[in-house]
């Protein structure tokens, strides 16, 4: 069972609170979105959850274990793919396993089992610069998944892509998530993206950033094809815009 | 040595890198097409200069004993070939030992100064200072201290070759992408792992740029050290033919030294291609 709980986290930077009293929960196989304007402390919160920052108060637990301020438990994926240009896709994806001390051969074997599922066939031996932006993000997600099969943090993973690629990626993403069952916390400032992908949405607003609302999307998964043009979708959107 | 070095480092951006900066597939094809044309011009220039030189010396515009003609130089080169080769062997051996140790020292310094901020603060000014002392000025001292054998030459080469390596590697290590380093940290990577997976491979381009410089410094350093005392080597050969006023042999050995430097730089380029295969597959 994968369960991530963040309790009353406050962090200040140069005597100014960036985020205040943040409490969020992520349950097994859930896809939860953190929606808010840019510069609202979303990324700071992610750095706290991944253990890179230690919060002033509050704590983070994963499956009941306190991991506050400890990197190495939860990894994330950013807007930039951060694939290492001098490693092939296969070796990039295998990186988390190599860091854990696994041998190169067995690490490659393990990651290769997932290439098809992630729509990355025939890219194993290529270098990142030979792939399109969308494909690189797929590889980055697979790398995150290879690090931890419990929880993934995604920080605006698709926002650098053009609109068409982006909607392609959304379809791909929902498809993959359906197959691999990964609990995900997803940062975005794109309201449509949030409604389309998530089970629940936390609204993070104001300075310092606080969680001001929580919206549950009651639309069964997999989402129907025309969901993003349906009346329900527009109503969710209206509700969110009013609250932001 | 410090300022021109910086300029050299900037100028050594490889052709491939420049091509990549220009970007665009069409442009790349275009530059590949005109590549043959690019090579014609320097060759033509050299031929014209050699032609002017030959005429000047065979028409007697410049006295023959002061400026031998290119043909005289070629003759001297062929006649003295065995002697030149046996001396070159000594010089190359010194250059390789010195370069190997210089690169090792440079690498170690860069790693330590990157890892420990205090080391950086303590040693960086000193390292820059070692480069402000002219090679020619310390070479006689080294000869007096360490004798006429190989040791003073190797020491001199280490002094001139470690610096480019240290500076460029340090720069490479320090400019490692912060987000990438953080990502690896979030995956639980240790400092050593971050070094081997991110910092080191990310600095290889800069490392080879500096190696190209160090290689030519190594040869020149060896020759200078030999001038000031030694039993064999191209520098010793040079001082001997100078004393005999054999200008043709002087030119022959100068030619040989620059050919050696060029070949070594070419070897570094080959090594770079081998070590950085990802740069190739554009």
């Amino acid at each position: 069972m994968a369960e991530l709980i963040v309790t009353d986290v406050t962090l200040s930077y140069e005597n100014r609170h960036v985020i205040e009293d943040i409490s969020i929960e992520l349950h097994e196989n859930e896809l939860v979105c953190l929606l808010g304007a840019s510069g609202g402390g979303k990324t700071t919160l992610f750095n706290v959850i991944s253990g890179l920052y230690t919060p002033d108060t509050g704590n983070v637990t994963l499956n009941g274990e306190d991991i506050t301020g400890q990197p190495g438990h939860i990894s994330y994926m950013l807007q930039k793919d951060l694939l290492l240009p001098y490693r092939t896709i296969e070796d990039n994806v295998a990186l988390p396993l190599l860091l854990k001390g696994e041998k190169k051969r067995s690490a490659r074997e393990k990651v290769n089992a997932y290439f098809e599922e992630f729509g990355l066939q025939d890219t194993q031996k290529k270098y990142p610069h030979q792939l399109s932006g969308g494909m690189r993000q797929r590889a980055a997600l697979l790398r995150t998944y290879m690090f931890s099969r419990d929880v993934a943090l995604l920080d605006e993973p698709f926002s650098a892509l053009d609109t068409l690629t982006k909607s392609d990626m959304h379809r791909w993403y929902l498809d993959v998530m359906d197959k691999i069952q990964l609990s995900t916390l997803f940062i975005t400032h794109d309201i449509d993206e949030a409604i389309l992908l998530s089970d629940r949405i936390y609204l993070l607003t104001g300075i310092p950033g606080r969680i001001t609302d929580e919206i549950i999307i009651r639309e069964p998964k997999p989402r129907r094809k025309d969901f993003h043009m349906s009346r329900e979708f527009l109503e969710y959107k209206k509700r969110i815009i009013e609250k932001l | 040595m410090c300022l021109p070095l910086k300029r050299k480092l900037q100028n050594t951006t490889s052709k491939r890198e420049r091509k990549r900066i220009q970007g665009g597939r069409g442009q790349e094809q275009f530059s590949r097409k005109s590549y043959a044309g690019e090579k014609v011009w320097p060759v033509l220039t050299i031929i014209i200069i050699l032609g002017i030189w030959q005429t000047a010396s065979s028409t007697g515009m410049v006295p023959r004993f002061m400026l031998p003609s290119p043909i005289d130089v070629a003759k001297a080169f062929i006649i003295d070939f065995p002697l030149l080769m046996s001396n070159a062997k000594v010089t190359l051996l010194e250059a390789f030992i010195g370069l190997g140790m210089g690169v090792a020292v440079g690498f170690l310094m860069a790693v330590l100064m990157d890892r420990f901020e205090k080391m950086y603060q303590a040693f960086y000014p000193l390292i820059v200072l070692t480069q402000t002392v002219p090679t020619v000025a310390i070479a006689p001292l080294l000869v007096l201290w360490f004798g006429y054998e190989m040791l003073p030459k190797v020491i001199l080469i280490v002094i001139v070759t470690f610096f480019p390596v240290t500076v460029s590697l340090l720069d490479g290590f320090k400019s490692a992408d912060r987000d990438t380093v953080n990502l690896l940290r979030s995956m639980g990577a240790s400092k050593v792992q971050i070094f081997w997976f991110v910092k080191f491979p990310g600095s290889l381009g800069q490392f080879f740029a500096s190696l190209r410089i160090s290689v030519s410094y190594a040869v020149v350093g060896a020759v200078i050290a030999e001038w000031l005392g030694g039993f064999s080597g191209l520098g010793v050969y040079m001082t001997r033919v100078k004393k005999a006023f054999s200008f043709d042999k002087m030119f022959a050995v100068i030619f040989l030294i620059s050919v050696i430097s060029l070949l070594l730089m070419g070897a570094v380029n080959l090594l770079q291609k081998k070590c950085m295969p990802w740069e190739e597959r554009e």
Side-chain angles (χ1 to χ4, degrees):
Chain A
M1 195 192 81
E3 198 173 38
L4 175 74
I5 299 173
V6 176
T7 324
D8 296 328
V9 161
T10 298
L11 185 88
S12 42
Y13 180 71
E14 288 177 352
N15 293 326
R16 203 170 53 89
H17 282 194
V18 184
I19 45 175
E20 205 169 61
D21 294 334
I22 304 258
S23 296
I24 55 178
E25 286 179 20
L26 176 65
H27 307 293
E28 181 147 32
N29 294 335
E30 238 187 342
L31 204 163
V32 174
C33 229
L34 204 62
L35 181 65
S38 302
K42 298 191 299 271
T43 303
T44 309
L45 179 60
F46 261 34
N47 282 327
V48 170
I49 297 174
S50 63
L52 293 178
Y53 295 174
T54 307
D56 303 338
T57 60
N59 57 55
V60 182
T61 62
L62 177 65
N63 302 334
E65 187 194 347
D66 191 348
I67 57 162
T68 317
Q70 292 174 28
H73 293 278
I74 302 177
S75 183
Y76 56 83
M77 167 183 168
L78 303 180
Q79 183 179 335
K80 288 198 279 178
D81 56 68
L82 297 181
L83 295 171
L84 302 170
Y86 36 79
R87 297 179 84 87
T88 57
I89 296 298
E90 158 184 77
D91 287 347
N92 260 297
V93 172
L95 187 66
L97 301 178
L98 298 176
L99 290 175
K100 284 178 190 166
E102 200 148 328
K103 290 269 175 298
K104 203 164 189 171
R105 269 243 330 257
S106 74
R108 276 184 182 166
E109 262 165 39
K110 272 188 192 161
V111 299
N112 270 321
Y114 291 94
F115 267 69
E116 186 128 358
E117 222 164 345
F118 275 70
L120 285 162
Q121 305 90 314
D122 306 322
T123 59
Q124 282 93 330
K125 302 287 177 205
K126 290 194 169 161
Y127 287 102
H129 66 87
Q130 294 170 306
L131 300 188
S132 67
M135 291 299 265
R136 285 207 293 265
Q137 289 303 76
R138 289 181 191 200
L141 182 66
L142 179 52
R143 178 182 58 189
T144 313
Y145 180 60
M146 292 319 294
F147 175 74
S148 148
R149 313 227 171 144
D150 300 338
V151 178
L153 303 179
L154 310 184
D155 187 351
E156 306 198 354
F158 307 133
S159 62
L161 303 172
D162 62 87
T163 326
L164 289 177
T165 315
K166 197 169 171 178
S167 66
D168 242 21
M169 289 295 283
H170 287 155
R171 235 169 292 137
W172 165 83
Y173 181 72
L174 287 172
D175 190 43
V176 169
M177 282 301 142
D178 198 42
K179 282 188 261 182
I180 63 173
Q181 314 271 318
L182 179 69
S183 321
T184 313
L185 189 60
F186 195 107
I187 283 184
T188 184
H189 57 245
D190 182 338
I191 299 172
D192 289 18
E193 186 173 76
I195 302 170
L196 189 65
L197 300 180
S198 356
D199 300 312
R200 260 185 313 133
I201 301 175
Y202 285 112
L203 299 186
L204 182 72
T205 53
I207 297 173
R210 291 165 190 266
I211 301 288
T212 45
D213 216 325
E214 181 183 343
I215 291 150
I216 297 166
I217 309 287
R218 293 180 202 285
E219 175 72 20
K221 278 187 169 179
R223 300 272 147 90
R224 57 196 148 109
K225 273 204 166 108
D226 57 352
F227 174 55
H228 61 288
M229 294 194 280
S230 64
R231 217 165 48 91
E232 292 91 332
F233 187 93
L234 285 179
E235 253 158 44
Y236 282 125
K237 194 167 173 177
K238 222 169 104 188
R239 244 176 81 192
I240 292 172
I241 291 175
E242 276 167 9
K243 284 177 174 161
L244 275 178
Chain B
M1 208 132 141
C2 207
L3 267 180
L5 172 71
K6 221 174 191 180
R7 224 168 297 136
K8 263 196 190 170
L9 272 175
Q10 282 162 351
N11 286 339
T12 41
T13 320
S14 69
K15 211 159 246 156
R16 226 174 312 116
E17 279 165 76
R18 249 179 283 151
K19 224 180 263 172
R20 205 184 34 206
I21 293 162
Q22 284 166 8
R25 191 159 280 177
Q27 226 164 347
E28 211 171 285
Q29 268 167 356
F30 170 73
S31 61
R32 204 173 294 150
K33 234 184 207 171
S34 63
Y35 191 61
E38 267 175 43
K39 271 190 173 165
V40 166
W41 292 107
V43 172
L44 202 67
T45 322
I46 291 169
I47 290 172
I48 291 172
I49 291 174
L50 283 177
I52 295 172
W53 179 5
Q54 179 70 40
T55 342
S57 116
S58 49
T59 54
M61 275 161 64
V62 186
R64 213 119 172 215
F65 65 89
M66 283 191 61
L67 184 68
S69 75
I71 292 173
D72 293 336
V73 174
K75 273 183 198 157
F77 187 78
I78 292 163
I79 291 165
D80 253 10
F81 189 74
L83 198 57
L84 279 169
M85 285 301 118
S86 66
N87 282 307
K89 232 185 260 165
V90 176
T91 306
L92 273 177
L93 186 64
E94 291 162 2
F96 275 124
I97 295 174
L99 181 68
M101 287 170 67
V103 169
V105 170
F107 187 84
L108 197 70
M109 290 298 269
V111 171
L112 288 176
M113 289 199 294
D114 177 62
R115 179 68 182 75
F116 305 104
E117 186 63 26
K118 286 260 169 6
M119 283 281 283
Y120 175 77
Q121 287 164 358
F123 284 100
Y124 198 75
L126 193 71
I127 285 174
V128 173
L129 210 67
T130 62
Q131 300 306 303
T132 59
V133 181
T135 321
V136 197
I138 45 168
L141 261 181
L142 292 175
V143 171
L144 288 176
W145 284 336
F146 302 108
Y148 289 94
E149 298 291 337
M150 201 174 260
L151 188 62
K153 284 123 194 161
V154 170
I155 291 174
L156 188 81
I157 296 167
V158 171
I159 293 173
V160 292
T161 55
F162 87 94
F163 183 71
V165 175
T166 302
V167 172
S168 64
L169 272 181
L170 196 60
D171 191 44
F173 294 160
K174 294 222 184 259
S175 57
D177 184 54
R178 271 189 69 109
D179 288 336
T180 309
V181 171
N182 276 339
L183 181 73
L184 262 80
R185 275 181 59 208
S186 83
M187 291 178 177
S190 65
K191 280 194 167 158
V192 178
Q193 283 176 323
I194 287 173
F195 179 80
W196 283 116
F197 283 101
V198 181
K199 288 186 171 182
F200 179 63
S203 313
L204 273 180
Q206 274 128 314
F207 170 71
F208 280 108
S210 70
L211 193 60
R212 272 192 285 275
I213 295 169
S214 286
V215 161
S216 59
Y217 278 12
V219 176
V220 173
V223 170
I224 291 178
E226 284 164 359
W227 277 351
L228 298 156
F231 304 114
S232 55
L234 289 175
V236 176
Y237 175 90
M238 255 179 139
T239 44
R240 278 189 201 146
V241 296
K242 191 193 95 190
K243 278 177 192 151
F245 293 100
S246 313
F247 282 85
D248 49 350
K249 288 181 182 174
M250 287 277 279
F251 274 99
V253 69
I254 291 168
F255 173 72
L256 181 62
I257 289 168
S258 72
V259 166
I260 287 174
S261 293
L262 275 177
L263 285 178
L264 290 178
M265 281 196 210
V268 173
N269 283 341
L270 272 181
L271 191 67
Q272 179 171 20
K273 272 183 195 163
K274 266 262 175 294
C275 293
M276 304 173 72
W278 57 92
E279 290 255 301
E280 279 303 293
R281 304 199 201 167
E282 298 272 320

